Amino acid sequence: MKLAVIGAGSTYTPELVSGLSRERERVPLDELVLHDIDAERREVVGGLAQRMLERQGYGGRLTLTGELAEALDGADFVLIQIRVGGQEARLRDETIPLACGCIGQETTGAGGLAKALRTVPVVLDIAAEARERAAGGAWIVDFTNPVGIVTRALLDAGHRAIGLCNVAIGFQRAIAGSLGVEPERVFVDQVGLNHLTWIRAVQLDGRDMLDEVLADHMDAAAGQAALPPELIRELGAIPSYYLRYFYTEDERLAELREEKPRAQVVAEIERELLDMYRDPGLTEKPALLERRGGAFYSEAATQLVAALASDSGEPQVVDVRNGGALPGLAPDDVVELPARIGREGAEPLPQAPLAPELLGLVQHVAAYERLAAEAAVTGDRELAARALLAHPLVGQWPRSRELLERMLDAEVRA
């Protein structure tokens, strides 16, 4: 079995490598390929990965390459975790909307559209080459944000792809900690769109514990969601922390205007991490990596790959076509919800209808994602303008036009 990681110069990669090594029984890799176009990051991150694998007794082959063809040839799994334009592009995504009076965030709102327009064509090019070079039946697992839009573009192009986010596993680990149980005993029934989900059930050994969690551990749940306890009680569900941009938009906008941009914070952390990774004595991921964000992403990734490889049929929260699983959305919308994972992919589990106050927001953002994906594929400026107009965090015609012009001009100048 061969697994290729595209964008392996990411500081996340050591965590992913560690997870894959732990799952060696279910994911018996003969070859792990770490690909990145940045030679320095590839060698630094790859060097730490090599030391970690040696320490963990990995018996397969590790390949570091900047050649996409070499990475993809014969691969059974292709994990894509790229950031087109790096942290500099993220900084634009976070700051340009703020100047227009909108939320500045790299995946939500106008910043998310800018990232999608920049990222989707590159991911589709990678996927097209994978179609030619990878093993028959190979799976693309996408971690590249905005995951919902990128996954939709991959599926629209006919690729065998599943999107994955770390929000569900983060909540699972936090709730398990509150309950004092092993994470494997807890399953969060998280439903919606990528970065727009709500937990409507928390199963402990198959028994729904949501009421108990909200009654006895509300402070922890509210802290994880970064939203007021009163709102969570009113909803009767635990929102993703990305919903703070919608439910407390004015407050969050004011905070973002005062805060140091997250892109700058992450860039500083990455520089420090890369310096650590250069230490030949380092053979495990440093604690600083937890401040990078993306907690437990390696566990989510390895669990998904393991379930696909072993045909386990276990339920996991992933990003897939809706089909008819979530009422109120189109069959071709890409949703984030529990699905059974096996060799043939992810089968979405049927869901109860969303409450009206949840469904309305989901439908609103799903319309935006449909337009955004098409705009990213076609390069159509009018579609991009309509996507911004459709987004609930933008929504006004003069502002949407100004935002689009500023974002596109910044991309040209970059």
Side-chain angles (χ1 to χ4, degrees), residues 88-383:
E88 297 83 359
R90 177 177 182 168
L91 183 61
R92 297 195 299 273
D93 297 342
E94 292 176 346
T95 55
I96 290 174
L98 290 178
C100 296
C102 293
I103 290 290
Q105 211 279 330
E106 64 157 342
T107 65
T108 301
L113 176 65
K115 184 167 191 176
L117 296 178
R118 186 170 59 244
T119 302
V120 164
V122 178
V123 172
L124 289 180
D125 284 346
I126 293 168
E129 187 152 359
R131 178 179 279 153
E132 297 298 319
R133 296 182 176 277
W139 280 103
I140 294 173
V141 177
D142 177 66
F143 307 113
T144 300
N145 279 318
V147 167
I149 296 171
V150 172
T151 302
R152 182 182 189 114
L154 285 166
L155 294 173
D156 286 349
H159 297 291
R160 284 166 60 89
I162 299 176
L164 188 62
C165 180
N166 73 315
V167 170
I169 194 171
F171 271 105
Q172 179 213 33
R173 298 305 174 94
I175 291 171
S178 294
L179 296 175
V181 301
E182 298 84 0
E184 295 74 21
R185 296 175 60 192
V186 175
F187 185 80
V188 295
D189 197 336
Q190 178 175 295
V191 180
L193 307 177
N194 178 243
H195 289 186
L196 197 83
T197 51
W198 297 262
I199 295 171
R200 300 189 296 174
V202 174
Q203 297 173 6
L204 173 60
D205 298 333
R207 182 168 71 91
D208 187 8
M209 298 286 290
L210 181 61
D211 288 345
E212 288 87 340
V213 169
L214 296 184
D216 300 334
H217 306 285
M218 174 58 84
D219 288 346
Q224 185 76 3
L227 284 165
E230 296 78 12
L231 171 61
I232 296 175
R233 289 192 187 96
E234 186 175 323
L235 293 172
I238 304 174
S240 158
Y241 40 82
Y242 287 93
L243 275 153
R244 60 185 168 155
Y245 298 110
F246 297 85
Y247 288 145
T248 56
E249 179 182 355
D250 291 345
E251 176 185 341
R252 191 71 191 113
L253 180 58
E255 291 171 347
L256 288 169
R257 283 172 164 160
E258 297 298 323
E259 292 174 359
K260 187 175 187 176
R262 178 65 180 165
Q264 292 181 354
V265 174
V266 170
E268 292 169 3
I269 293 172
E270 285 195 333
R271 283 194 291 271
E272 191 173 348
L273 282 170
L274 289 169
D275 284 342
M276 291 180 175
Y277 292 0
R278 290 184 176 93
D279 179 1
L282 184 67
T283 59
E284 59 185 7
K285 64 177 184 179
L288 178 64
L289 186 55
E290 295 177 8
R291 289 174 46 205
R292 170 64 180 82
F296 308 117
Y297 121 90
S298 73
E299 284 89 341
T302 52
Q303 286 175 16
L304 177 56
V305 171
L308 288 166
S310 65
D311 198 27
S312 71
E314 65 193 66
Q316 296 182 21
V317 175
V318 292
D319 290 82
V320 291
R321 289 280 199 214
N322 179 41
L326 187 57
L329 293 180
D332 66 335
D333 283 332
V334 169
V335 292
E336 187 167 294
L337 44 65
R340 294 207 177 278
I341 311 298
R343 191 168 290 115
E344 296 305 312
E347 181 183 350
L349 297 177
Q351 300 295 314
L354 291 168
E357 63 273 18
L358 310 186
L359 179 60
L361 183 53
V362 167
Q363 290 174 327
H364 204 162
V365 177
Y368 150 77
E369 290 195 348
R370 179 181 295 273
L371 291 165
E374 188 176 353
V377 170
T378 62
D380 189 318
R381 293 169 65 104
E382 288 304 310
L383 279 173

